Amino acid sequence: MIGRIRQTYDRTGLGTRLALSLGVLSLIVFAVVGTALTAYMRDYLEHQLDDQLKLVQTAQTTDAQVHGIVEEKPYWGWYTAVYDVTDDSAVLRKPSDVPDDNSALTALARSMAHSDDEIQRTAKIDGKGEYRLRGCEVQPGVVLVSAAPMEDIEDTVGQLLTVQAITFALAVLALVVVGRKMLRRGLKPLSDMASTAHGIASHNLTESAARLPLRADGRDGGPEVAELRTAFNTMLEHIDDSLAVRAEAEQRLRRFVADASHELRTPLMSVRGYADLFQYAAANAPEERDKHLARLRAEAARMGFLLDDLLLLARLDAAEVEAPLRIADADLVELVGHAADAFRAAHADHPLTVAPGPSRLSMRLDPQRIRQVLDNLLTNAAVHTPPGTPVSASVSVTDGRAVVRIADAGHGIPPADRERVFDRFYRVDKARSRDRGGSGLGLAVAHSLVSAHGGTIDLTSEPGATVFTISLPLPKGLTDR
């Protein structure tokens, strides 16, 4: 039974629970207050009756001294008796107005034989009910005992208990009903947040651009609920941001897989075609064998470069314990000079100038990877600008960081493409051939390698001035000379 009640209670709402708990607490408080009030009222009425008995006995004592007994009866239902007492006995003087069961009066009179003060007590008289008894000494050896009924006190206390029970019951009922409504209103913001949470649970989060259109609104509930609402909405904003990042990552992954498949399929198909041509040419025109072998080697090398770049990017993204970097002491100015010399030899149609800067800049970095970044940026400037376009390189130190700038005076990069030039397989010129434009991984590799060194690479572009800026942290104790 108790378990069933507990299960029913557990299934009730929070507002109902709080209202019931408040009702039980109020009932306990009312019970304590009612008990204290009833006890005080009973004690007060008994003291009044004692005072009344004392006044009555003052007059009855004189009557007993004159007549030997009390001839005047004070009130209806009251009893008065005069006893001759000794150490062992109490003898009732007659005639006396006493009930048939006068043992309580006699016992009080006998007690007066051993007391010099008045005695008061409550006793039950058979057939009459509760009586308040008071005894006093009229003269030595003579005791007056008066008995007053307590029926009026019991009736008053009973009526008081009835009024209290009805009043407290109505008060508890009103408190539970009104309190439940007030609690329901106070808990409405929490219910709204619960509805919002249910709405979020039913929202399809698998969509690529999924966002949560629901928010917990309102101003009711006080500061605690407002704080909870703010935390709830902050959590939803965080979920929204996470979903947006996930959707963007999924889109980038799909685009990456599609581009990688396309980029790998092209050289593979070329290798297959050249292999077929080589087989045919070897059987019928042996003199063309070297030409087809050279093409096969070129396509295989191109595919190898592409796979190397993809592997490098994967290792950088995976944040491997053994990072694909071989850190050593190197001179950044010397690396820029070597990259410039290689560029002049490979791209004689693009004049390159190296701006004056530090004579030496010692740093802790991977020389091969930084050289790869510089070659990619310089090659990018040559590939995407017409012949004769000036290219420049510079090295400087700014705010404790080494800064390398690669600039060209070409037509610039459109604003819509600037934010995506470092994406993998992204080409500003979609129509550019792969033989000339590359696979679209050069800038992505450069960005990842610079980030692996703890640096940044930025782009600013406008017609006549496209600048790639590499910023690397300069270790303490190593400065330019």
Side-chain angles (χ1 to χ4, degrees):
M1 183 66 179
I2 297 178
R4 185 177 301 174
I5 294 175
R6 184 175 183 83
Q7 291 178 358
T8 303
Y9 178 78
D10 292 339
R11 288 195 296 266
T12 57
L14 178 60
T16 303
R17 290 188 188 183
L18 292 176
L20 291 176
S21 300
L22 184 62
V24 171
L25 180 61
S26 302
L27 188 61
I28 294 174
V29 172
F30 289 159
V32 172
V33 172
T35 301
L37 181 61
T38 301
Y40 172 78
M41 180 60 68
R42 179 185 290 276
D43 187 66
Y44 173 76
L45 293 176
E46 286 182 356
H47 276 83
Q48 277 195 327
L49 185 58
D50 290 341
D51 292 341
Q52 192 175 8
L53 275 172
K54 185 177 181 179
L55 291 175
V56 169
Q57 280 193 335
T58 300
Q60 289 178 336
T61 300
T62 303
D63 193 10
Q65 288 175 348
V66 174
H67 301 95
I69 61 173
V70 177
E71 295 183 348
E72 295 184 4
K73 187 175 181 180
Y75 302 105
W76 184 87
W78 285 46
Y79 299 105
T80 303
V82 178
Y83 288 87
D84 294 315
V85 299
T86 60
D87 292 340
D88 299 327
S89 64
V91 179
L92 178 63
R93 292 183 180 180
K94 295 184 180 180
S96 296
D97 183 14
V98 295
D100 295 336
D101 177 21
N102 59 5
S103 58
L105 282 70
T106 303
L108 180 60
R110 191 179 298 114
S111 299
M112 286 294 299
H114 306 284
S115 176
D116 298 331
D117 299 325
E118 292 85 357
I119 297 178
Q120 299 178 125
R121 66 177 59 166
T122 300
K124 184 175 182 180
I125 299 177
D126 291 341
K128 300 297 182 180
E130 295 284 339
Y131 270 73
R132 188 67 174 170
L133 307 182
R134 188 176 191 278
C136 66
E137 189 178 40
V138 177
Q139 59 189 20
V142 180
V143 173
L144 173 64
V145 177
S146 300
M150 298 183 66
E151 183 180 358
D152 292 340
I153 295 178
E154 296 298 332
D155 291 342
T156 302
V157 171
Q159 292 178 4
L160 178 61
L161 289 174
T162 302
V163 171
Q164 286 179 349
I166 296 175
T167 303
F168 290 166
L170 293 176
V172 169
L173 180 61
L175 186 63
V176 170
V177 174
V178 177
R180 186 171 182 273
K181 292 183 178 180
M182 294 179 64
L183 287 171
R184 180 178 295 177
R185 181 177 180 181
L187 294 174
K188 188 177 183 302
L190 299 181
S191 300
D192 294 341
M193 280 187 274
S195 300
T196 302
H198 286 302
I200 294 171
S202 62
H203 190 68
N204 185 10
L205 300 180
T206 60
E207 300 175 0
S208 59
R211 287 188 61 84
L212 303 177
L214 304 174
R215 291 294 184 272
D217 299 325
R219 298 181 179 179
D220 298 333
E224 293 81 4
V225 176
E227 183 178 358
L228 178 61
R229 185 185 298 112
T230 301
F232 187 78
N233 289 335
T234 302
M235 178 190 68
L236 294 182
E237 291 293 339
H238 179 69
I239 294 175
D240 266 348
D241 295 340
S242 300
L243 290 175
V245 171
R246 188 190 72 175
E248 182 181 357
E250 290 178 352
Q251 291 178 357
R252 292 178 61 183
L253 178 61
R254 294 190 186 100
R255 187 167 58 247
F256 175 79
V257 172
D259 291 340
S261 301
H262 184 69
E263 294 292 339
L264 290 173
R265 182 179 62 181
T266 301
L268 283 174
M269 293 181 65
S270 298
V271 168
R272 181 183 298 174
Y274 284 129
D276 292 340
L277 288 174
F278 174 73
Q279 182 180 11
Y280 176 79
N284 299 281
E287 66 276 3
E288 296 185 6
R289 179 175 54 187
D290 293 339
K291 181 177 66 174
H292 293 311
L293 280 175
R295 291 179 179 178
L296 280 172
R297 291 191 187 96
E299 290 298 329
R302 179 184 167 196
M303 187 167 57
F305 291 144
L306 178 60
L307 290 175
D308 288 341
D309 288 342
L310 289 174
L311 178 60
L312 176 61
L313 289 172
R315 295 178 66 189
L316 291 171
D317 290 344
E320 296 179 353
V321 177
E322 297 181 0
L325 298 178
R326 294 182 175 87
I327 302 299
D329 293 333
D331 183 7
L332 184 60
V333 175
E334 183 180 357
L335 290 176
V336 173
H338 291 168
D341 293 339
F343 178 82
R344 293 189 183 100
H347 305 280
D349 55 347
H350 285 75
L352 172 65
T353 58
V354 179
S359 60
R360 181 176 176 81
L361 190 56
S362 299
M363 299 185 64
R364 295 282 297 171
L365 46 79
D366 186 336
Q368 293 184 357
R369 295 305 184 185
I370 293 299
R371 173 65 187 275
Q372 181 179 356
V373 172
L374 297 173
D375 290 341
N376 282 347
L377 295 179
L378 289 171
T379 302
N380 185 73
V383 169
H384 295 285
T385 58
T389 303
V391 180
S392 64
S394 66
V395 182
S396 62
V397 176
T398 304
D399 298 330
R401 298 179 71 86
V403 178
V404 179
R405 291 183 175 87
I406 305 296
D408 66 69
H411 50 73
I413 300 176
D417 296 318
R418 292 172 192 169
E419 295 182 357
R420 296 194 57 192
V421 293
F422 295 108
D423 290 349
R424 298 165 190 183
F425 297 110
Y426 184 78
R427 298 183 184 86
V428 175
D429 186 0
K430 306 298 187 301
R432 186 180 300 276
S433 67
R434 289 176 174 80
D435 293 335
R436 177 172 173 79
S439 62
L441 289 176
L443 292 181
V445 171
H447 183 273
S448 296
L449 287 174
V450 172
S451 298
H453 282 82
T456 60
I457 180 170
D458 300 313
L459 166 66
T460 58
S461 181
E462 60 183 16
T466 298
V467 182
F468 286 91
T469 303
I470 303 171
S471 176
L472 298 172
L474 191 63
K476 295 181 180 179
L478 295 178
T479 58
D480 59 298
R481 290 194 292 266

